[in-house]
């Protein structure tokens, strides 16, 4: 597959998010127009031990026609073998394998994985070429501006990735040691785009459709990844698609999938947010009843800012079953209708 061509109709994607981008969340984001969604990062080493909990991370939901899978690790051979296993396991449904070279958290980077590879471009290159040679699907690299704050290395890193066989580079405009502090620097994405011929995927601080449009127009990036802006807010994809389509920025459709929503520019009502949260909880429950506890953090994100949200947070954090979430959502809806009634039904 020519990944540059693919990205022309898959411009707005859900970023990999450990503990967040599970099948239920990917489904809701896809329904709202995310043109591709990435799995949570999966350990190549864990897969090589045939660890079921790890393998679970590459399970797709029924109807997930196409997905991106992100792997992490630092052993070229293990990474290549496991990428191959993923390709065989997912077949036609695998669009791309992304290699995590940006995660700064200690338990990943401290073991030489994720962002630690920014400090070892030779090994990073060996990993990229080993994986790219092992699979047919495009292999991309997701990284950061540099490792140490103030020391920008992403341009050289992107050139190295391109020479090693990467089909695209996804760039979060922060240094690894910065974690999430400060603002993402989009200029480094623009500079990297100028320096390589492979597509550059912009990432960092897209919290609205306007942010997405600005990221595209200021960097000339080929596609974007949205992470935190989608938490509790899958509608962001519909809103971004609508703004991009109407802006005429690209002169062609930017999403291969037709929107399944009504009017995406409208912000969802409080009731719609609660009902989306309920649906999310049920999707988690249907796959694996015990996994519904993951809904605790999602539920808090969905209801943020709604009257009664702070009280509801404590309730969500005690929920263990889907019925508990249903009761909590019912209570929020009834609280909302009382608030509406006391305001004469006017919002
Ligand atoms: C909860 C959480 C989990 C994340 N997990 C991953 C991951 O598994 N792999 C990865 O490459 N990045 C991961 N990231 C980073 C995001 O993909 C993204 O690069 C970063 O959040 C910046 O984008 P944003 O400003 O849109 O959030 C994670 C971020 C968050 C908030």
């Amino acid at each position: 597959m020519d990944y540059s061509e693919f990205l022309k109709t898959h411009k707005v994607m859900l970023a990999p998010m450990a503990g967040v981008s599970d099948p239920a969340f990917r489904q809701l984001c896809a329904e709202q127009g995310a043109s591709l969604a990435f799995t949570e990062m999966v350990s190549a080493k864990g897969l090589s031990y045939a660890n079921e909990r790890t393998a679970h991370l590459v399970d797709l939901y029924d109807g997930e026609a196409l997905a991106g899978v992100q792997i992490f690790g630092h052993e070229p051979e293990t990474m290549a073998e496991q990428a191959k296993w993923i390709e065989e396991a997912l077949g036609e449904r695998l669009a791309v394998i992304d290699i995590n070279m940006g995660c700064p958290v200690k338990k990943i980077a401290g073991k030489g994985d994720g962002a630690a590879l920014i400090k070892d471009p030779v090994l990073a290159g060996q990993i990229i070429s080993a994986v790219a040679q092992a699979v047919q699907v495009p292999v991309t690299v997701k990284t950061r501006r540099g490792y140490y704050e103030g020391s920008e290395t992403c341009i050289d890193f992107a050139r190295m990735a391109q020479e090693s066989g990467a089909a695209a580079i996804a760039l979060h405009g922060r240094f690894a040691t910065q974690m999430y502090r400060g603002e993402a620097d989009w200029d480094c994405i623009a500079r990297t785009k100028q320096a390589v011929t492979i597509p550059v995927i912009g990432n960092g601080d897209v919290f609205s459709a306007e942010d997405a449009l600005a990221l595209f127009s200021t960097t000339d990036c080929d596609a974007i990844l949205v992470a935190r802006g989608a938490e509790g807010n899958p509608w962001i994809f519909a809103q971004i698609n609508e703004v991009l389509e109407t802006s005429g920025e690209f002169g062609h459709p930017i999403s291969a999938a037709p929107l399944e929503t009504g009017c995406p520019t409208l912000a969802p009502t409080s009731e719609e947010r609660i009902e989306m949260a309920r649906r999310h909880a049920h999707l988690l429950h249907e796959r694996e009843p015990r996994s519904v506890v993951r809904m605790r953090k999602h539920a808090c994100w969905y209801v943020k800012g709604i009257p009664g949200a702070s009280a509801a947070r404590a309730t969500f954090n005690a929920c263990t079953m889907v019925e508990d979430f249903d009761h909590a959502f019912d209570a929020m809806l009834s609280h909302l209708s009382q608030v509406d009634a006391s305001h004469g039904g006017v919002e």
Side-chain angles (χ1 to χ4, degrees):
M1 180 209 293
D2 178 342
Y3 205 54
S4 315
E5 279 303 310
F6 177 83
L7 288 179
K8 285 183 183 158
T9 50
H10 295 77
K11 292 212 162 281
V12 187
M13 306 184 280
L14 174 67
M17 274 192 283
V20 178
S21 59
D22 56 37
F25 187 54
R26 295 201 302 272
Q27 179 172 346
L28 297 176
C29 290
E31 285 174 6
Q32 294 296 324
S35 42
L36 189 73
F38 282 84
T39 62
E40 308 173 57
M41 62 180 169
V42 50
S43 159
K45 198 78 186 165
L47 283 177
S48 75
Y49 293 140
N51 180 333
E52 272 203 22
R53 278 175 69 92
T54 308
H56 221 55
L57 293 172
V58 299
D59 283 351
L60 305 187
Y61 61 85
D62 293 344
E64 189 166 21
L66 215 49
V69 171
Q70 189 191 58
I71 56 174
F72 72 93
H74 63 270
E75 297 170 359
E77 214 172 291
T78 312
M79 295 284 275
E81 275 166 15
Q82 297 313 314
K84 207 166 170 190
W85 178 84
I86 292 167
E87 186 173 56
E88 277 159 19
L90 298 191
E92 298 281 298
R93 300 166 83 190
L94 180 68
V96 54
I97 290 208
D98 182 72
I99 306 176
N100 184 324
M101 296 193 175
C103 180
V105 305
K106 211 168 159 197
K107 71 175 187 188
I108 303 292
K111 291 186 181 147
D113 303 335
L117 289 161
I118 298 174
K119 292 186 289 183
D120 192 346
V122 173
L123 178 59
Q126 289 164 354
I127 293 169
I128 298 165
S129 49
V131 176
Q133 279 166 34
V135 296
Q136 307 291 315
V137 290
V139 172
T140 59
V141 174
K142 182 166 176 286
T143 188
R144 285 189 172 222
R145 185 178 179 189
Y147 193 86
Y148 297 106
E149 201 157 349
S151 168
E152 183 174 298
T153 53
C154 55
I155 292 179
D156 285 343
F157 200 81
R159 288 194 178 118
M160 173 282 296
Q162 174 170 292
E163 279 162 25
S164 308
I169 183 130
L171 191 56
H172 174 194
R174 283 190 177 84
F175 299 101
T177 56
Q178 210 180 341
M179 306 298 278
Y180 282 95
R181 269 183 296 105
E183 282 179 13
D185 175 273
W186 289 349
D187 290 345
C188 72
I189 299 172
R191 285 191 292 275
T192 304
K193 172 69 188 162
Q194 293 288 315
V196 292
T197 53
I198 53 173
V200 172
I201 300 161
N203 171 235
D205 295 356
V206 170
F207 293 104
S208 68
E210 290 69 30
D211 291 342
L213 188 57
L215 177 55
F216 274 112
S217 57
T218 59
T219 67
D220 196 29
C221 64
D222 298 272
I224 62 169
L225 285 169
V226 180
R228 291 166 300 163
E231 288 173 342
N233 185 23
W235 297 274
I236 194 170
F237 293 102
Q239 291 160 348
I240 292 174
N241 285 344
E242 166 124 337
V243 166
L244 294 183
E245 297 276 6
T246 51
S247 76
E249 171 92 353
F250 300 105
H252 60 75
I254 49 92
S255 168
L259 292 177
E260 291 186 19
T261 49
C263 183
T265 45
L266 287 180
T269 62
S270 300
E271 286 79 4
E272 283 168 334
R273 285 159 63 185
I274 293 168
E275 288 309 337
M276 183 71 92
R278 189 195 300 278
R279 179 133 181 270
H280 195 153
H282 281 259
L283 287 174
L284 284 170
H285 171 77
E286 282 158 24
R287 281 190 73 80
E288 165 61 83
R290 274 175 311 173
S291 75
V292 82
V293 289
R294 297 179 72 127
M295 193 59 211
R296 291 174 179 175
K297 57 177 177 290
H298 287 289
C300 295
W301 290 326
Y302 280 108
V303 305
K304 207 168 151 194
I306 295 179
S310 32
R313 269 201 295 276
T315 314
F316 293 145
N317 285 326
C319 291
T320 55
M321 296 188 303
V322 73
E323 292 81 7
D324 301 333
F325 283 104
D326 274 332
H327 289 143
F329 296 139
D330 289 342
M332 280 202 86
L333 286 173
S334 114
H335 178 72
L336 268 182
S337 58
Q338 283 162 20
V339 172
D340 283 355
S342 67
H343 289 79
V346 180
E347 286 214 341

